[in-house]
Amino acid sequence: MPRKPPTPIAYGRHEITAADVRAVLRVLRGQPLTCGPAVEAFEQAIKDATGARHAVAVSNGTSALRLLYQACGIGPGVRVGVPAITFVATASQALLLGAEVVLLDVDPDTLVLTPAILERCRERLDVVVPVHLAGRLCDMAGLAEVARRRGAYLLEDGAHAFGSAWSDGRRCGDGTWSRGAIFSFHPVKSVTTGEGGAVATNDAAVAAAIRRLRHHGIVREGFSGDLAAADGGAPWYHEFHAPATNERLSDLHAALGVSQIARLAAITRARQRVHDAYHRRLADVPWLRLPPPAAGQRPCWHLFAAQVDWKALGRDRRSFFAAAAAAGIHPQVHYIPLHHQPALKQATRADALAGADAAYRGLVSLPCYPGLGRAELGRVDAFVRGVAVGTGRA
């Protein structure tokens, strides 16, 4: 009788509870499906979770980046510093607005931009976008001080870090060090809305601009059109002052987000449990370098981004992934450095980006999500220990 294939273990996955289902059903059974109270409730939950004064929900994290950039005036003539290890959207959304991207290096161990790296950059920068990677937070105080001396300001890419905080109580997105932060609520993130994103900011003007931009750019005050004198102020009257898009989040998505944020503390503990389990189980594997501790932080871990010494293992990454797939385990790589992507080939490089290249050579994100139980962790452990001798099948 043929052997039943093992249940796949992905690098990340969502977790939907009965409470989540009930929250969405309540919207389906009687609330507006868009532009309704669930979106407002979701935005309030984001404010409560981050400590920001304003939160604007949008259709996805990429939209959140572009709308934040746009609201802050990023466009032609503006130079935006972006770490070379990040999802391409951090850079591509600045390029779409006509800005120039300057690629910055990262620390090869923590994978994030550091004050020392920013300090040694000799390129002119107007905006710097630190990326909190895998749930680990950047040294925002240090980066803000370096940026201030350079005459630049910070925007945060917190797509991986909703729920992450510093030990002193400051939270990702609270606006202490930046003009705004974006979050993603994609299904593999710590909190999901299916698809969705948000901007958290303490700047009322930035928040108002994003609210307008996410909704076709509709203007409901400050009228200047031909009919303004006659109809301005009427309940139906509105104007469009510039082209924009529809990047709203539906109430269905928002209701799921509200339900998920309600258990953010439990999600954070579960993800820490997975990280701790890997550190206990895999600390003695000689060819595997585990992610270092996040000193002074309370991360909500999105990824378990380890690094492999392929020479010591005796395999290359391609064969490692093939063996993992055969064992029903599906790791990932976060990320291919941006300077190797065709879309960013012409981007200015602050330096040789050796840290990003060194990190990429070994990167492997092992499965990390709240539903990863002892049995699944055991399978990953068995695979990792067996792959060096060719028995890495669960």
Side-chain angles (χ1 to χ4, degrees), residues 65-136:
L65 277 165
R66 193 182 71 263
L67 296 180
L68 176 59
Y69 290 170
Q70 195 172 352
C72 289
I74 291 176
V78 177
R79 302 190 101 204
V80 182
V82 172
I85 295 286
T86 183
F87 185 60
V88 70
T90 316
S92 67
Q93 299 311 290
L95 293 176
L96 282 173
L97 293 171
E100 182 180 351
V101 167
V102 178
L103 296 178
L104 304 168
D105 209 359
V106 300
D107 178 273
D109 295 321
T110 64
L111 312 179
V112 298
L113 176 67
T114 67
I117 292 171
L118 183 59
E119 185 80 71
R120 70 172 184 249
C121 172
R122 294 294 172 258
E123 296 288 337
R124 177 177 67 82
L125 299 173
D126 301 303
V127 184
V128 179
V129 188
V131 176
H132 305 301
L133 203 94
R136 183 190 304 275

Side-chain angles (χ1 to χ4, degrees), residues 145-212:
E145 174 57 26
V146 176
R148 184 192 62 78
R149 294 200 305 268
R150 300 177 62 105
Y153 66 88
L154 304 183
L155 299 174
E156 297 172 71
D157 185 334
H160 288 195
F162 188 76
S164 290
W166 287 270
S167 299
D168 65 5
R170 290 178 299 116
R171 290 168 282 176
C172 182
D174 68 6
T176 301
W177 307 112
S178 74
R179 290 186 65 184
I182 72 95
F183 298 107
S184 168
F185 302 109
H186 181 275
V188 296
K189 299 300 195 297
S190 299
V191 164
T192 186
T193 56
E195 283 282 5
V199 176
T201 180
N202 289 338
D203 189 321
V206 167
I210 295 170
R211 290 186 188 282
R212 183 172 65 251

